[in-house]
Amino acid sequence: MRELFEQYIDRRIANMTFSFIELTSGDIHRDVGGYPGRNHKMVICCDVMYKRMAGDDEVISAPPSGKGATVTVRYYKKNHQGGALVCPVSVKKTAPKKTASDMKMQPNEVHLMVCGHRFDFVQELIPENVGGKAVAFYPQQDYNNKKNLPLHQYGSGAFCKFQIKASGIAGVYLWVIQDEIVYIGETADFAQRFNTGYGNISPRNCFVGGQCTNCKMNKVVMKAYDAGNSVKLYFYVTDNYKQVELELLSQYNTMYNVKDN
């Protein structure tokens, strides 16, 4: 479990897009797994967080014992550029300088320079919602499953619906959550990839042989929104989208880019 905590923290630090990132022990342990639960390893999680500090990294909050679900550490990018940070990322803002915690990204206010490529902010991915909760859809119930196909690993449960305002241009896109690049993708048609792919799950895609990635990333949007987080979408226009995607993936170990789906 210690190694899993180390890998998680190192990845978050490596993929931060602003000058610092704040990580909280309870959130880390939930993402890694096993918390809440009887056999949680919160003490180990906190210990790893402290040992990963360098330079002027600082503890923002902690319980009297120093170990618990509320430990929050601020890691500064400058302190880790010789280790976990593997690709130069910078943020250029036309708005007055703000901290990463209070910055609101709006179109034309923020763009990311990632490995020499300018990614422009498009919008936040916001699902159809009522009262601050994403409306749940169950497309698998509408599939005429004549061959009795099983659901794939992301095909069960609820999905959400969302759309983006974009044209059918080619390029590479980034998903950013809490200042971390969590997913990198490429497309020949930006609008179609999101509006009839990620944002509108077809019944067939829930079953073995369907598009697993659409289902997986749709659930990411739903989970983030219901947790009060935003998924920010950036796009780089290029006809060499496959080559640029491979370049970025060779540099970034993101949370949701995996070879098998």
Side-chain angles (χ1 to χ4, degrees), residues 6-220:
E6 292 172 346
Q7 292 173 351
Y8 179 93
I9 293 171
D10 287 347
R11 185 185 68 247
R12 293 295 303 273
I13 291 174
N15 292 345
M16 75 171 81
T17 57
F18 297 103
S19 61
F20 67 83
I21 187 170
E22 293 182 358
L23 300 180
T24 300
S25 54
D27 294 336
I28 293 172
H29 206 327
R30 287 187 186 91
D31 288 343
V32 170
Y35 179 79
R38 292 183 179 179
N39 299 317
H40 68 78
K41 305 296 181 182
M42 188 59 71
V43 172
I44 296 176
C45 178
C46 295
D47 184 52
V48 171
M49 290 177 69
Y50 292 135
K51 288 185 177 180
R52 279 304 191 259
M53 294 175 66
D56 58 351
D57 291 348
E58 55 187 324
V59 178
I60 302 300
S61 65
S65 66
K67 305 289 177 67
T70 60
V71 173
T72 300
V73 175
R74 177 178 293 178
Y75 300 94
Y76 291 95
K77 182 191 295 186
K78 64 181 181 179
N79 298 330
H80 300 271
Q81 289 182 332
L85 190 63
V86 295
C87 186
V89 180
S90 62
V91 179
K92 182 178 180 180
K93 302 180 288 292
T94 58
K97 186 175 181 180
K98 304 175 183 179
T99 65
S101 60
D102 66 9
M103 183 187 302
K104 281 194 172 183
M105 300 187 194
Q106 297 296 333
N108 302 322
E109 287 188 353
V110 177
H111 68 259
L112 302 180
M113 292 298 299
V114 183
C115 296
H117 305 295
R118 171 173 169 154
F119 285 80
D120 291 309
F121 176 67
V122 179
Q123 66 178 75
E124 294 184 6
L125 300 180
I126 300 177
E128 295 180 14
N129 59 87
V130 175
K133 298 288 287 185
V135 176
F137 296 91
Y138 298 86
Q140 60 273 77
Q141 297 176 359
D142 297 326
Y143 183 58
N144 186 8
N145 196 358
K146 294 181 180 180
K147 295 183 179 181
N148 198 30
L149 296 172
L151 294 167
H152 59 64
Q153 59 180 322
Y154 302 109
S156 62
F159 294 92
C160 64
K161 289 186 178 182
F162 59 88
Q163 289 190 331
I164 65 171
K165 296 179 180 179
S167 59
I169 52 177
V172 179
Y173 50 87
L174 307 176
W175 297 46
V176 176
I177 301 177
Q178 293 182 317
D179 304 338
E180 177 187 1
I181 298 173
V182 300
Y183 188 73
I184 300 168
E186 52 82 11
T187 181
D189 189 319
F190 189 33
Q192 184 180 50
R193 185 71 191 90
F194 279 79
N195 294 340
T196 62
Y198 296 124
N200 188 15
I201 301 300
S202 70
R204 175 64 183 90
N205 275 345
C206 298
F207 295 84
V208 169
Q211 231 287 12
C212 293
T213 302
N214 284 355
C215 296
K216 175 177 68 173
M217 299 311 296
N218 181 284
K219 289 180 180 293
V220 169

